[in-house]
C-alpha cells in the first residue's frame, strides 16, 4: 500500500503524529503540511481520516491536536502501564519525603524515555517531562540504564559524541566509563550538576522478576550539601518497586545486593 | 488510499491497535488476524510496518505488543497532559489524606475516560483503571460530567438503556434526572454503592479558565458511615485544580460557588 513516491500511508500518518510537540501541541493543516513535507491536500485528507478515528481532534479554532483515542489505545494495553502502576506508590512516598521531582525512566533506543514524573511547586529546575527524553550519558536515570544496559549500547554511546551541558557533564569516554563503573559498583548514580549546575540527580535501578534492570527511579533535588541523605530513600524505593515486580525472591535482588 | 474492499490502510491499523486490551496486551500475528478479521498476510505486513515505527513491538516470545513510541507521541503533545499535570499535586494531597483511590476522568463520547488514578494497597474495590472507561450514569465522575455536559448528551443518555450494576444504580430516567439535578445543585456527586455495593464514589467538577467543566476529580472509599467527611476534601481539591487551570479569577468559580 505505497503511494506514488514510495512512502506508505502509515509512514505519512506517523510523520503527522510526530509534527505535534509539547511546544506546539496544536497545528493548522497548513502547518502540518509544512512540517511533514506532505502536500496540503494529502495532509488535509489524512488529518480528516485520523480525526474520524479520534486519533486527532480539532479544537474550537479548527487547529488540529492529538486525540484522546490515540492516548487511550497507546496506554490501556501498554507494557509500561504495569511498571508505572507498580512504581507509583513508592514514587509518591519518596515525593512526600524528599519533595522536588521524582521520576521513572526506561531505556528506549539510545535515550531515556520518562514514563512518569511527580513534581512539587517551587521544585528545583529539571528538564524531564512525561514522555520526554534525555541523553543516557548526562542524566542520572540514563546513567543507571546505560550502566546496566547491553554492552553494545554502552560501547556505541562511549564512541559517539557526548554533549556537554555543564562543566560537570561526563563528556569524555574515559570519564563516562568511570561514572558507569561507579554506578554499577555503588548501585546508584549520583549526578551533581551533570545536566544543570543547580540540580542533583540520584537514580537507582528497578529490576523485574528475572533480575534485569527495566527502569530507573530518580529524584532531582537542589545541588546542595544535603544530597547524600537522599540516596538511601531512592535506593529503598527502587528496591520496593523491584519487589513489587517480583524481583528478589531468592535470587535477583539478594545476589545483586552484594554489588548494588 | 483504499484497499480493494474499500477499507483504508489507516482503518486497518486502527483495528490492529484496538485488538490489544488490558486483559490481552500481547498477541500473536494470527490472533491479531482473528480479532481484526484481516487476512494473516495483511496483518503480518501491517504489523511489521508498525513495528518498524515503534508503534508496535515484539517481545521475547515473538508476541506483538503496543510500542513505546505510540505512547510517547500520544502523550507528549496530548491536551490531557496539562490537565493531568495540574491535577496531580492536588490528587496526591487527597490520596495522602483519604487513601483508597483518587482519580481524574474526562468526558469522551458517551463515557468517562480515566486519565489518572492513584491507588493505595488494600484499597476498596474499584473498577476504574488508567485509560479505562465507565458509563456516565453509574460512576460519580460520569455523573458530574453528565450533569455539566451538553444537554443533547444528557437527553441521549436519559433515553438510552441504563445498565443496573447494583440495586442502587440510578437506572431509570426519573431517578437519573434527580441524581443529576442534585449533583448540579450540591456541586458534587455522592454515589454510595452505584457501581459496587462496597464502594462509595464522590466526585466534583474541575473547571477551566472559561469556567467550563473539563474533568471530574473523584475518590472511591468504602461505602461506610464516614463518607460525608470526605466531601469537602474532594471539593477543595477540585477547586484547587480549577484554579491551577486559570478558573475563578472573578467569574467562573465565584459565580458557580453559589450553586456548586
Amino acid at each position: 500500500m505505497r503511494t506514488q513516491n514510495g512512502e506508505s500511508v502509515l509512514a505519512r500518518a506517523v510523520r503527522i503524529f510526530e509534527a505535534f510537540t509539547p511546544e506546539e501541541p496544536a497545528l493548522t493543516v497548513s502547518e502540518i503540511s509544512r512540517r511533514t513535507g506532505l502536500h496540503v491536500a494529502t495532509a488535509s485528507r489524512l488529518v480528516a481520516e485520523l480525526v474520524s478515528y479520534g486519533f486527532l481532534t480539532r479544537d474550537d479554532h479548527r487547529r488540529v491536536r492529538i486525540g484522546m483515542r490515540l492516548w487511550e489505545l497507546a496506554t490501556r494495553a501498554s507494557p509500561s502501564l504495569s511498571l508505572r502502576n507498580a512504581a507509583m506508590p513508592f514514587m509518591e512516598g519518596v515525593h512526600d519525603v524528599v519533595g522536588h521531582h521524582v521520576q521513572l525512566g526506561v531505556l528506549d533506543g539510545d535515550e531515556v524515555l520518562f514514563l512518569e514524573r511527580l513534581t512539587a511547586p517551587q521544585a528545583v529546575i529539571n528538564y524531564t517531562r512525561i514522555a520526554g527524553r534525555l541523553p543516557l550519558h548526562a542524566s542520572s536515570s540514563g546513567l543507571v540504564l546505560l550502566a546496566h544496559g547491553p554492552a553494545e549500547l554502552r560501547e556505541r554511546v562511549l564512541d559517539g559524541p557526548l554533549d556537554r551541558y555543564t562543566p560537570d557533564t561526563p563528556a569524555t569516554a574515559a570519564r563516562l566509563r568511570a561514572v558507569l563503573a561507579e554506578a554499577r559498583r555503588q548501585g546508584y548514580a549520583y549526578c551533581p550538576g551533570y545536566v544543570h549546575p543547580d540540580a542533583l540527580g540520584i537514580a537507582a535501578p528497578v529490576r523485574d522478576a528475572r533480575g534485569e534492570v527495566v527502569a530507573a527511579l530518580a529524584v532531582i533535588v537542589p545541588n546542595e550539601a544535603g544530597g547524600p541523605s537522599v540516596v538511601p530513600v531512592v535506593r529503598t524505593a527502587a528496591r520496593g518497586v523491584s519487589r513489587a515486580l517480583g524481583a528478589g525472591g531468592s535470587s535477583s535482588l539478594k545476589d545483586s545486593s552484594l554489588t548494588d
Side-chain angles (χ1 to χ4, degrees), chain A:
Chain A
M1 210 25 51
R2 305 270 143 185
T3 56
Q4 280 155 353
N5 66 5
E7 188 187 47
S8 77
V9 175
L10 287 179
R12 293 176 164 193
V14 170
R15 277 207 277 153
I16 291 176
F17 294 134
E18 288 174 339
F20 297 89
T21 63
E23 294 74 28
E24 298 190 290
L27 299 170
T28 64
V29 168
S30 58
E31 286 167 339
I32 291 170
S33 157
R34 241 188 341 266
R35 275 174 184 62
T36 57
L38 295 173
H39 191 282
V40 70
T42 309
S44 177
R45 199 179 59 241
L46 285 173
V47 165
E49 188 175 352
L50 291 168
V51 167
S52 77
Y53 306 132
F55 278 29
L56 296 174
T57 185
R58 286 188 217 271
D59 68 15
D60 298 348
H61 308 285
R62 300 273 305 162
R63 287 175 311 181
V64 181
R65 291 173 177 269
I66 293 290
M68 284 294 201
R69 182 70 176 156
L70 187 67
W71 175 82
E72 180 184 2
L73 294 182
T75 302
R76 68 175 191 180
S78 164
S80 65
L81 188 60
S82 56
L83 169 63
R84 185 261 183 210
N85 286 344
M88 271 301 263
F90 297 95
M91 293 177 68
E92 286 185 73
V94 174
H95 197 225
D96 287 344
V97 172
V98 179
H100 297 281
H101 310 280
V102 183
Q103 53 203 40
L104 182 72
V106 296
L107 189 65
D108 193 60
D110 288 6
E111 292 169 306
V112 48
L113 174 66
F114 290 98
L115 299 182
E116 188 54 79
R117 185 177 90 147
L118 299 176
T119 290
Q122 280 92 43
V124 70
I125 192 163
N126 178 9
Y127 293 116
T128 308
R129 53 184 148 203
I130 292 170
R133 289 170 177 267
L134 280 179
L136 293 173
H137 74 282
S139 60
S140 58
S141 303
L143 287 163
V144 161
L145 295 167
L146 190 57
H148 297 276
E152 318 84 79
L153 171 65
R154 209 153 42 238
E155 292 312 313
R156 190 163 66 242
V157 171
L158 283 161
D159 279 352
L162 297 168
D163 289 339
R164 187 181 287 284
Y165 299 92
T166 74
D168 295 322
T169 309
T172 65
R175 171 98 196 286
L176 178 54
R177 225 179 262 282
V179 165
L180 292 172
E182 197 181 8
R184 266 193 305 274
R185 191 179 53 74
Q186 292 184 324
Y188 60 92
Y190 191 87
C191 308
Y194 287 12
V195 177
H196 187 285
D198 296 343
L200 162 64
I202 302 167
V206 171
R207 296 173 188 274
D208 67 7
R210 296 175 301 178
E212 293 190 16
V213 173
V214 290
L217 194 152
V219 298
I220 311 296
V221 292
N223 190 8
E224 291 164 3
S229 67
V230 179
V231 169
V233 180
V234 179
R235 296 188 69 193
T236 305
R239 293 298 189 98
V241 179
S242 302
R243 286 218 164 69
L245 292 173
S250 62
S251 56
S252 54
L253 278 185
K254 288 234 179 81
D255 286 352
S256 67
S257 70
L258 295 173
T259 54
D260 157 302

